[in-house]
Amino acid sequence: MSATRYAYLGPEGTFTEVALRTLPEAATRELVPMVSVPAALDAVRGGEAAAALVPIENSVEGGITATIDELASGEPLMIYREVLLSISFALLVRPGTKLSDIKTVTAHPAAQPQVRNWMATHLTDALWESAASNADGARLVQEGRYDAAFAGEFAAAKYGLEPLVTEIHDAVNAQTRFVLVGRPARPAAPTGADKTSVVLWLGDDHPGALLELLQEFAVRGVNLMLIQSRPTGAGIGNYCFAVDAEGHISDRRVGEALMGLKRICPNVRFLGSYPRAGVAAEDVRALRPGTSDAEFVAAADWLARSQDGRA
């Protein structure tokens, strides 16, 4: 395995590359652009890269399905950290292009919900077509295949384009979350401000099936940060659930919730416990009474003493 290479959703000039370059270790790695999220993750699976950075969620549309599906169904990988990046688009065009000249636009599908209202106001007759990434859309504009692309303003110089309009976003303070993914290994030590990601499969479809999963978290005071259903491919009505929960697998409340889920789910895939981006331990909300590690230990000790006749 190449320990010095990090893959990412390319080509050069994507928001993913910008997010990757915020990691201190990126300065000492060879950064390799890949044509798609599956290609970036397969580079890790095949040993061509030590890790890959891919988008997994945005604050406008929620989870990035291509990433969630790959992590749920492909050869197991693990998330080691996350990066949050504020997103604002520029409309990139070939020099000399005016707004009235634009009849076709392109970008990554995740960009469309973030610029839809702006397009409806300023490009009422333009046809949208999706690209593999925002930077790839800029490359296609450079080649003359489209009139304009929504991408980061920083991509303009790379592809010989001009930012005709900047600071485009339907939702103020929009962010995208990226995850650094590697081969499965022992999770990093807890920081006090962590997140645990898993994928859960239902055993069968019956009333209250999803509630049973959620109760494993709720009764132990584990807060959920994301839950998204995804089809398993086994037919209509067959779903798995991608879940992000507050806490680390080594926290008693989280570990016991995962054990409970393992008892009732036919399959549980652990995707990692890792530090939450931009959150310090002192900023984490106080635990509900009865859910701290000390209280779990005390309860286990009471049970052992009761079984021995020492309670």
Side-chain angles (χ1 to χ4, degrees), residues 217-222 251-254 286-296:
F217 294 107
V219 298
R220 296 173 177 88
V222 178
D251 296 334
R252 292 296 185 101
R253 65 189 185 282
V254 176
L287 297 177
R288 282 174 45 198
T291 64
S292 70
D293 277 9
E295 288 162 315
F296 272 96

Side-chain angles (χ1 to χ4, degrees), residues 240-304:
C240 62
F241 296 88
V243 174
D244 287 348
E246 284 185 345
H248 193 279
I249 192 172
S250 65
D251 296 334
R252 292 296 185 101
R253 65 189 185 282
V254 176
E256 288 206 8
L258 296 183
M259 285 194 293
L261 290 163
K262 185 62 179 173
R263 289 196 302 270
I264 64 175
C265 295
N267 189 18
V268 175
R269 177 170 285 195
F270 173 64
L271 295 181
S273 289
Y274 47 94
R276 292 170 57 186
V279 179
E282 56 268 25
D283 299 326
V284 176
R285 77 186 76 194
L287 297 177
R288 282 174 45 198
T291 64
S292 70
D293 277 9
E295 288 162 315
F296 272 96
V297 170
D301 179 64
W302 172 87
L303 179 61

Side-chain angles (χ1 to χ4, degrees), residues 71-83:
L71 292 176
S73 62
E75 181 184 335
L77 294 170
M78 206 163 95
I79 299 170
Y80 287 94
R81 62 189 304 172
E82 65 178 9
V83 177

Side-chain angles (χ1 to χ4, degrees), residues 51-293:
L53 193 83
V54 292
I56 196 168
E57 180 187 7
N58 71 63
S59 59
V60 176
E61 283 288 284
I64 307 296
T65 57
T67 302
I68 293 171
D69 290 349
E70 268 295 309
L71 292 176
S73 62
E75 181 184 335
L77 294 170
M78 206 163 95
I79 299 170
Y80 287 94
R81 62 189 304 172
E82 65 178 9
V83 177
L84 292 178
L85 188 70
S86 296
I87 302 294
S88 180
F89 293 92
L91 187 68
L92 305 186
V93 299
R94 292 181 295 277
T97 302
K98 301 186 296 293
L99 204 61
S100 58
D101 298 328
I102 298 173
K103 303 303 178 186
T104 57
V105 295
T106 187
H108 188 274
Q112 189 176 21
Q114 302 181 62
V115 299
R116 184 184 291 125
N117 293 337
W118 189 92
M119 276 192 66
T121 301
H122 299 91
L123 294 174
T124 55
D125 297 324
L127 176 67
W128 171 285
E129 290 195 29
S130 294
S133 68
N134 298 317
D136 193 54
R139 179 185 63 81
L140 295 172
V141 172
Q142 180 190 44
E143 294 176 356
R145 295 174 59 180
Y146 298 98
D147 298 324
F150 289 102
E153 184 177 356
F154 48 80
K158 173 68 181 177
Y159 295 99
L161 304 176
E162 293 180 348
L164 184 62
V165 184
T166 60
E167 295 297 318
I168 300 172
H169 42 69
D170 289 349
V172 179
N173 301 322
Q175 289 185 310
T176 294
R177 182 167 70 98
F178 302 84
V179 288
L180 187 70
V181 179
R183 303 278 292 186
R186 180 183 293 274
T191 66
D194 301 291
K195 179 183 294 185
T196 293
S197 297
V198 293
V199 182
L200 311 170
W201 279 259
L202 290 176
D204 60 83
D205 185 16
H206 62 272
L210 178 56
L211 177 61
E212 291 171 4
L213 303 187
L214 300 180
Q215 283 178 329
E216 295 294 334
F217 294 107
V219 298
R220 296 173 177 88
V222 178
N223 186 49
L224 299 187
M225 308 177 72
L226 177 146
I227 179 167
Q228 179 165 342
S229 63
R230 296 297 303 147
T232 64
I236 297 295
N238 288 278
Y239 292 93
C240 62
F241 296 88
V243 174
D244 287 348
E246 284 185 345
H248 193 279
I249 192 172
S250 65
D251 296 334
R252 292 296 185 101
R253 65 189 185 282
V254 176
E256 288 206 8
L258 296 183
M259 285 194 293
L261 290 163
K262 185 62 179 173
R263 289 196 302 270
I264 64 175
C265 295
N267 189 18
V268 175
R269 177 170 285 195
F270 173 64
L271 295 181
S273 289
Y274 47 94
R276 292 170 57 186
V279 179
E282 56 268 25
D283 299 326
V284 176
R285 77 186 76 194
L287 297 177
R288 282 174 45 198
T291 64
S292 70
D293 277 9

